[in-house]
Structures are given as structure tokens and as C-alpha cells.
Amino acid sequence: MSMSLSPRELQLQRTARDFVDKMIPWEVEAEMNRGDLSTEVSAAHHRRAAELGLISINMPESMGGPGYTTMEQTLIQEQTGRITNGLGWVVSTGPSWIEKVVTDHQMEQWIGPTVSGDIHECYAITEAGAGSDVDGILATAQRDGDRYVLNGEKWYVTSANLASYVFFQAKLSDGPNAGRHVLFFVDMDTPGVECVRVPEYSHTYGHHHWEMRFTDVRVPAANLVGTEGDGMSFSHAWFRYERLMIAARCCGAAERLITEAGAFAEEREAYGSKIADYQAIQFMLADSLTELWAARLMTYDTARSIDAGADVKAQHARCSMAKLYASEMANRVADRAVQIFGGRGFMRENVAERFYRELRVDRIWEGTSEIQRIIIADQLRKRGPGPLVG
């Protein structure tokens, strides 16, 4: 397996790395201000991301995006993983899965402005009783003439506080496709859409995760994404992409932690020696670096295979394997980094403390580690190891 990168890939990697490096000094201010920076600073970060081609990085050229390959996106996302407090989310990713079904109206109303970075979307999929098991949702959509009536409560609607519209997933309550999944564009100011609660979470992000209620929300049939029954396929495509990007960001986080903890170990003295001289510290750093290399190889190879046109089922399993291994790897690295920093590693102003909290959710969202193992095992039983790992 080769780790070599093309000149274009190396340039994109450097561009993203330099951009993130300039944002890192703002981490502590964001941490101490509930994840928020001043409007002026946030706007400046957004403008710079746009200038560098780091807006809507997953959108194809046909929809106004930069047309980056999966590998190029992975390299960019890896660098955004090096920064805490969700500041790297200014490097945005739009709904690229919609390319084949988007209508002219939807392109003009929502997708075009999203690609340009003028507006943002969020996803209302998860419910109190339906997390990784998306098919367990209870939200409904009922056809009423030239409109649909939507009802349901959604949890963990990430970035809802910054979004102009939401993708709402439901099951059809009647008609020939009753029980099948549908997905809709819903403007956040549509009557019947409300925020029920804004829970506090372990991480300190400016992107909030609302609990939302949709009560008799009426939307035009033109807001339907694709056709009736397509909803789950779009979610699967989004999950595949996000799982791979989570793996990439976890690699970036692990690299930052190894660098920071290693530098501290070279400075900190105990009993007359640098703690980097002690085998206990050396082993923690060595294990961390080894696991990072393995996770990076897996993540990069998965991205390359997608660009090469790998079978979708194989992609599904590989993205799950990458997310599973990289997310658990990064959590182990964060735990070791806190230990190396000692008391400092328990302070919110310390990068290890922030990553220790932030990385934990990567083993949960877009499918828990246990769900990833189920997906992997299912594909192994159906296909054998060859198509999945070569």
C-alpha cells in the first residue's frame, strides 16, 4: 500500500494545514466562550476558507463545487481534525449525494447558496428511539394534494442554530409507498418547525445539537428529494461519506496530540530527567504513532478505492472499518496524551483535555462502534475477506 501523494494532493494538504495552523491560536478563546468566536473573527475564517477553495469541498463541479477527489477531501479533512472546538467545521461539506436527483428549483433555492457558503443545512434524522437504527424512526409524511404534511420529533440536529434549512427524514404514513423513507427540504422558518431544547454536550462547539419538533409542517411536493422511497439510500450515502471523513479527522487529531504530548515530554522534567527519557512515556508515544500510521493507511486506502470505483457494498464496509479503527485509535491516543501531560492534561486550556472530550463522540455519531462491527461482520459473511481487504 502506497502513501505517496501527487503534487496536487500535497498542495491541497499544505493549504489546509496552513489554514488550520492559523486558527489554532483561537481554540482557547472558543473553549472559554461556549465554542463561539466574535462575528468578525468567524467571518474572517469563512472568507479565508472560501478564498482557499475550502468551502463545499465535497461538491462536484457540475454543482458549482471544486470537484475534489475523495482522496483530496480526505487530506483536507485530516487537517481540520487537528483543531479543537469545531473550528475546523468552517471547512464545509455540502450534500454531494444529491447530485443525481436535485431539481432546478432545489438547486436555485437551496443547493446553489449552500455550495457558495451563503447558507447552511442540517439533518433531522435521529429520534429519541431511533439512533443508529435509522429504520426505527417514527416521523411521518402524508401526501395532501400538492403538498406533504410532516410530523415528528428529532434529536441531535447538528448545526441547527446555524442552518437556513433542514433535511427532514420520515416514513410515508399512507399511499402506495406507505412505510418507506422520504427526505425533504424544510426551511427552518416554516410554520410548525420549532426548537424544543438545546442540550449541553461534553464538547464546546458553536454548532449546537437541537432537539426539534415538526408539527403539521406543510411543504410543497417540490421539496421532496428524489422520489418516494429514496430517503434511506441518501442517508446511506451520507453515512458512508461522513464515516470516512470522521476517520480522517481522527487521524488529524491523533497527529496533533502526539506532536503536542511529545513536545511537552521533551520539556517536562521529573527526578532529574526529561520525562521523554522514561520508557513509560516512550511506549505511550510509540504505541500512539504506530496506531496512527495504521489508521492513516486504512483511511487513505479506502479513499483511493472509492475514487477507483470500488463496489458500493465494499465501500460501505471499508468506511465502517476506517471509522471504527480510527475513532477508537484517536480515543486511545487522547487518553495517553492526558496521562503524559499529567495535571495539565485535565485543564480545559490544554489541547489534550479538549480532544479527550471531543473525540469520544466519534465512537457514537454516524453509527456507533458496535454498529460498524455489525456492518463489517455482515459484509464479511456475505462476501468473504477478499473484496473487503484485498
Side-chain angles (χ1 to χ4, degrees), residues 138-157:
L138 299 177
T140 62
Q142 182 177 25
R143 186 69 184 249
D144 182 19
D146 62 352
R147 291 180 175 271
Y148 287 87
V149 181
L150 313 179
N151 283 281
E153 293 195 9
K154 299 291 185 176
W155 283 28
Y156 314 130
V157 185

PDB file of all heavy atoms in Angstrom, residues 138-157:
ATOM      1  N   LEU A 138     -39.995   7.276  13.776  1.00  0.00           N
ATOM      2  CA  LEU A 138     -41.452   7.348  13.838  1.00  0.00           C
ATOM      3  C   LEU A 138     -42.017   8.563  13.117  1.00  0.00           C
ATOM      4  O   LEU A 138     -43.237   8.676  12.957  1.00  0.00           O
ATOM      5  CB  LEU A 138     -41.911   7.380  15.301  1.00  0.00           C
ATOM      6  CG  LEU A 138     -41.535   6.160  16.159  1.00  0.00           C
ATOM      7  CD1 LEU A 138     -42.001   6.370  17.593  1.00  0.00           C
ATOM      8  CD2 LEU A 138     -42.122   4.888  15.584  1.00  0.00           C
ATOM      9  N   ALA A 139     -41.165   9.479  12.687  1.00  0.00           N
ATOM     10  CA  ALA A 139     -41.617  10.673  11.977  1.00  0.00           C
ATOM     11  C   ALA A 139     -42.383  10.267  10.722  1.00  0.00           C
ATOM     12  O   ALA A 139     -42.033   9.297  10.047  1.00  0.00           O
ATOM     13  CB  ALA A 139     -40.425  11.547  11.605  1.00  0.00           C
ATOM     14  N   THR A 140     -43.433  11.019  10.414  1.00  0.00           N
ATOM     15  CA  THR A 140     -44.300  10.665   9.287  1.00  0.00           C
ATOM     16  C   THR A 140     -44.404  11.781   8.263  1.00  0.00           C
ATOM     17  O   THR A 140     -44.222  12.962   8.571  1.00  0.00           O
ATOM     18  CB  THR A 140     -45.716  10.326   9.772  1.00  0.00           C
ATOM     19  OG1 THR A 140     -46.288  11.490  10.412  1.00  0.00           O
ATOM     20  CG2 THR A 140     -45.688   9.161  10.748  1.00  0.00           C
ATOM     21  N   ALA A 141     -44.704  11.367   7.049  1.00  0.00           N
ATOM     22  CA  ALA A 141     -45.012  12.287   5.955  1.00  0.00           C
ATOM     23  C   ALA A 141     -46.281  11.775   5.276  1.00  0.00           C
ATOM     24  O   ALA A 141     -46.369  10.596   4.939  1.00  0.00           O
ATOM     25  CB  ALA A 141     -43.865  12.345   4.964  1.00  0.00           C
ATOM     26  N   GLN A 142     -47.240  12.657   5.094  1.00  0.00           N
ATOM     27  CA  GLN A 142     -48.502  12.276   4.477  1.00  0.00           C
ATOM     28  C   GLN A 142     -48.791  13.188   3.295  1.00  0.00           C
ATOM     29  O   GLN A 142     -48.744  14.416   3.420  1.00  0.00           O
ATOM     30  CB  GLN A 142     -49.643  12.362   5.495  1.00  0.00           C
ATOM     31  CG  GLN A 142     -50.996  11.928   4.949  1.00  0.00           C
ATOM     32  CD  GLN A 142     -52.066  11.967   6.023  1.00  0.00           C
ATOM     33  OE1 GLN A 142     -51.959  12.704   7.003  1.00  0.00           O
ATOM     34  NE2 GLN A 142     -53.113  11.163   5.859  1.00  0.00           N
ATOM     35  N   ARG A 143     -49.085  12.602   2.155  1.00  0.00           N
ATOM     36  CA  ARG A 143     -49.379  13.386   0.961  1.00  0.00           C
ATOM     37  C   ARG A 143     -50.754  14.023   1.105  1.00  0.00           C
ATOM     38  O   ARG A 143     -51.725  13.381   1.515  1.00  0.00           O
ATOM     39  CB  ARG A 143     -49.334  12.496  -0.287  1.00  0.00           C
ATOM     40  CG  ARG A 143     -49.481  13.245  -1.621  1.00  0.00           C
ATOM     41  CD  ARG A 143     -48.266  14.096  -1.919  1.00  0.00           C
ATOM     42  NE  ARG A 143     -48.421  14.888  -3.115  1.00  0.00           N
ATOM     43  CZ  ARG A 143     -47.744  14.692  -4.254  1.00  0.00           C
ATOM     44  NH1 ARG A 143     -46.856  13.707  -4.329  1.00  0.00           N
ATOM     45  NH2 ARG A 143     -47.928  15.475  -5.300  1.00  0.00           N
ATOM     46  N   ASP A 144     -50.830  15.317   0.780  1.00  0.00           N
ATOM     47  CA  ASP A 144     -52.089  16.057   0.822  1.00  0.00           C
ATOM     48  C   ASP A 144     -52.135  16.981  -0.383  1.00  0.00           C
ATOM     49  O   ASP A 144     -51.669  18.118  -0.331  1.00  0.00           O
ATOM     50  CB  ASP A 144     -52.189  16.855   2.119  1.00  0.00           C
ATOM     51  CG  ASP A 144     -53.512  17.606   2.249  1.00  0.00           C
ATOM     52  OD1 ASP A 144     -54.475  17.238   1.536  1.00  0.00           O
ATOM     53  OD2 ASP A 144     -53.588  18.562   3.037  1.00  0.00           O
ATOM     54  N   GLY A 145     -52.653  16.456  -1.486  1.00  0.00           N
ATOM     55  CA  GLY A 145     -52.681  17.230  -2.716  1.00  0.00           C
ATOM     56  C   GLY A 145     -51.289  17.474  -3.252  1.00  0.00           C
ATOM     57  O   GLY A 145     -50.519  16.529  -3.465  1.00  0.00           O
ATOM     58  N   ASP A 146     -50.953  18.737  -3.448  1.00  0.00           N
ATOM     59  CA  ASP A 146     -49.628  19.072  -3.974  1.00  0.00           C
ATOM     60  C   ASP A 146     -48.632  19.365  -2.851  1.00  0.00           C
ATOM     61  O   ASP A 146     -47.584  19.964  -3.080  1.00  0.00           O
ATOM     62  CB  ASP A 146     -49.722  20.266  -4.929  1.00  0.00           C
ATOM     63  CG  ASP A 146     -50.230  21.527  -4.250  1.00  0.00           C
ATOM     64  OD1 ASP A 146     -50.651  21.452  -3.073  1.00  0.00           O
ATOM     65  OD2 ASP A 146     -50.218  22.596  -4.893  1.00  0.00           O
ATOM     66  N   ARG A 147     -48.970  18.918  -1.643  1.00  0.00           N
ATOM     67  CA  ARG A 147     -48.095  19.138  -0.503  1.00  0.00           C
ATOM     68  C   ARG A 147     -47.952  17.861   0.316  1.00  0.00           C
ATOM     69  O   ARG A 147     -48.688  16.889   0.118  1.00  0.00           O
ATOM     70  CB  ARG A 147     -48.638  20.259   0.404  1.00  0.00           C
ATOM     71  CG  ARG A 147     -48.557  21.632  -0.235  1.00  0.00           C
ATOM     72  CD  ARG A 147     -49.097  22.721   0.676  1.00  0.00           C
ATOM     73  NE  ARG A 147     -48.896  24.033   0.077  1.00  0.00           N
ATOM     74  CZ  ARG A 147     -47.814  24.781   0.236  1.00  0.00           C
ATOM     75  NH1 ARG A 147     -46.841  24.353   1.030  1.00  0.00           N
ATOM     76  NH2 ARG A 147     -47.689  25.947  -0.366  1.00  0.00           N
ATOM     77  N   TYR A 148     -46.978  17.888   1.230  1.00  0.00           N
ATOM     78  CA  TYR A 148     -46.821  16.829   2.216  1.00  0.00           C
ATOM     79  C   TYR A 148     -46.966  17.455   3.605  1.00  0.00           C
ATOM     80  O   TYR A 148     -46.546  18.606   3.820  1.00  0.00           O
ATOM     81  CB  TYR A 148     -45.460  16.157   2.124  1.00  0.00           C
ATOM     82  CG  TYR A 148     -45.277  15.240   0.933  1.00  0.00           C
ATOM     83  CD1 TYR A 148     -44.845  15.731  -0.293  1.00  0.00           C
ATOM     84  CD2 TYR A 148     -45.531  13.870   1.044  1.00  0.00           C
ATOM     85  CE1 TYR A 148     -44.669  14.881  -1.379  1.00  0.00           C
ATOM     86  CE2 TYR A 148     -45.350  13.013  -0.036  1.00  0.00           C
ATOM     87  CZ  TYR A 148     -44.925  13.531  -1.243  1.00  0.00           C
ATOM     88  OH  TYR A 148     -44.757  12.694  -2.319  1.00  0.00           O
ATOM     89  N   VAL A 149     -47.534  16.697   4.515  1.00  0.00           N
ATOM     90  CA  VAL A 149     -47.649  17.141   5.907  1.00  0.00           C
ATOM     91  C   VAL A 149     -46.686  16.302   6.743  1.00  0.00           C
ATOM     92  O   VAL A 149     -46.771  15.069   6.759  1.00  0.00           O
ATOM     93  CB  VAL A 149     -49.092  16.974   6.436  1.00  0.00           C
ATOM     94  CG1 VAL A 149     -49.177  17.478   7.876  1.00  0.00           C
ATOM     95  CG2 VAL A 149     -50.072  17.740   5.551  1.00  0.00           C
ATOM     96  N   LEU A 150     -45.772  16.980   7.440  1.00  0.00           N
ATOM     97  CA  LEU A 150     -44.700  16.310   8.176  1.00  0.00           C
ATOM     98  C   LEU A 150     -44.922  16.439   9.676  1.00  0.00           C
ATOM     99  O   LEU A 150     -45.272  17.513  10.180  1.00  0.00           O
ATOM    100  CB  LEU A 150     -43.346  16.927   7.814  1.00  0.00           C
ATOM    101  CG  LEU A 150     -43.060  17.140   6.319  1.00  0.00           C
ATOM    102  CD1 LEU A 150     -41.682  17.773   6.139  1.00  0.00           C
ATOM    103  CD2 LEU A 150     -43.169  15.835   5.552  1.00  0.00           C
ATOM    104  N   ASN A 151     -44.699  15.338  10.379  1.00  0.00           N
ATOM    105  CA  ASN A 151     -44.814  15.329  11.835  1.00  0.00           C
ATOM    106  C   ASN A 151     -43.706  14.458  12.435  1.00  0.00           C
ATOM    107  O   ASN A 151     -43.356  13.420  11.875  1.00  0.00           O
ATOM    108  CB  ASN A 151     -46.170  14.782  12.273  1.00  0.00           C
ATOM    109  CG  ASN A 151     -47.291  15.785  12.112  1.00  0.00           C
ATOM    110  OD1 ASN A 151     -47.455  16.687  12.935  1.00  0.00           O
ATOM    111  ND2 ASN A 151     -48.064  15.647  11.039  1.00  0.00           N
ATOM    112  N   GLY A 152     -43.187  14.882  13.580  1.00  0.00           N
ATOM    113  CA  GLY A 152     -42.185  14.073  14.267  1.00  0.00           C
ATOM    114  C   GLY A 152     -41.274  14.912  15.146  1.00  0.00           C
ATOM    115  O   GLY A 152     -41.243  16.140  15.031  1.00  0.00           O
ATOM    116  N   GLU A 153     -40.565  14.231  16.029  1.00  0.00           N
ATOM    117  CA  GLU A 153     -39.568  14.889  16.872  1.00  0.00           C
ATOM    118  C   GLU A 153     -38.193  14.306  16.573  1.00  0.00           C
ATOM    119  O   GLU A 153     -38.044  13.092  16.440  1.00  0.00           O
ATOM    120  CB  GLU A 153     -39.906  14.711  18.356  1.00  0.00           C
ATOM    121  CG  GLU A 153     -41.174  15.444  18.760  1.00  0.00           C
ATOM    122  CD  GLU A 153     -41.329  15.579  20.261  1.00  0.00           C
ATOM    123  OE1 GLU A 153     -40.355  15.259  20.989  1.00  0.00           O
ATOM    124  OE2 GLU A 153     -42.410  16.003  20.703  1.00  0.00           O
ATOM    125  N   LYS A 154     -37.217  15.170  16.465  1.00  0.00           N
ATOM    126  CA  LYS A 154     -35.863  14.772  16.086  1.00  0.00           C
ATOM    127  C   LYS A 154     -34.859  15.222  17.139  1.00  0.00           C
ATOM    128  O   LYS A 154     -34.997  16.297  17.734  1.00  0.00           O
ATOM    129  CB  LYS A 154     -35.495  15.380  14.724  1.00  0.00           C
ATOM    130  CG  LYS A 154     -36.400  14.927  13.564  1.00  0.00           C
ATOM    131  CD  LYS A 154     -36.192  13.458  13.233  1.00  0.00           C
ATOM    132  CE  LYS A 154     -36.989  13.040  12.004  1.00  0.00           C
ATOM    133  NZ  LYS A 154     -36.720  11.636  11.632  1.00  0.00           N
ATOM    134  N   TRP A 155     -33.854  14.388  17.339  1.00  0.00           N
ATOM    135  CA  TRP A 155     -32.789  14.698  18.288  1.00  0.00           C
ATOM    136  C   TRP A 155     -31.471  14.902  17.540  1.00  0.00           C
ATOM    137  O   TRP A 155     -31.304  14.457  16.402  1.00  0.00           O
ATOM    138  CB  TRP A 155     -32.617  13.551  19.275  1.00  0.00           C
ATOM    139  CG  TRP A 155     -33.652  13.491  20.364  1.00  0.00           C
ATOM    140  CD1 TRP A 155     -34.936  13.929  20.316  1.00  0.00           C
ATOM    141  CD2 TRP A 155     -33.460  12.958  21.681  1.00  0.00           C
ATOM    142  NE1 TRP A 155     -35.568  13.696  21.501  1.00  0.00           N
ATOM    143  CE2 TRP A 155     -34.692  13.092  22.366  1.00  0.00           C
ATOM    144  CE3 TRP A 155     -32.392  12.361  22.335  1.00  0.00           C
ATOM    145  CZ2 TRP A 155     -34.868  12.672  23.685  1.00  0.00           C
ATOM    146  CZ3 TRP A 155     -32.557  11.931  23.652  1.00  0.00           C
ATOM    147  CH2 TRP A 155     -33.780  12.093  24.316  1.00  0.00           C
ATOM    148  N   TYR A 156     -30.529  15.553  18.220  1.00  0.00           N
ATOM    149  CA  TYR A 156     -29.157  15.715  17.724  1.00  0.00           C
ATOM    150  C   TYR A 156     -29.123  16.324  16.320  1.00  0.00           C
ATOM    151  O   TYR A 156     -28.414  15.842  15.431  1.00  0.00           O
ATOM    152  CB  TYR A 156     -28.423  14.368  17.716  1.00  0.00           C
ATOM    153  CG  TYR A 156     -28.578  13.549  18.968  1.00  0.00           C
ATOM    154  CD1 TYR A 156     -28.944  12.210  18.907  1.00  0.00           C
ATOM    155  CD2 TYR A 156     -28.367  14.117  20.227  1.00  0.00           C
ATOM    156  CE1 TYR A 156     -29.091  11.449  20.063  1.00  0.00           C
ATOM    157  CE2 TYR A 156     -28.512  13.368  21.384  1.00  0.00           C
ATOM    158  CZ  TYR A 156     -28.873  12.032  21.298  1.00  0.00           C
ATOM    159  OH  TYR A 156     -29.022  11.277  22.446  1.00  0.00           O
ATOM    160  N   VAL A 157     -29.870  17.393  16.122  1.00  0.00           N
ATOM    161  CA  VAL A 157     -29.881  18.069  14.818  1.00  0.00           C
ATOM    162  C   VAL A 157     -28.684  19.020  14.813  1.00  0.00           C
ATOM    163  O   VAL A 157     -28.783  20.191  15.184  1.00  0.00           O
ATOM    164  CB  VAL A 157     -31.203  18.807  14.573  1.00  0.00           C
ATOM    165  CG1 VAL A 157     -31.221  19.386  13.156  1.00  0.00           C
ATOM    166  CG2 VAL A 157     -32.389  17.849  14.767  1.00  0.00           C
TER     167      VAL A 157
END
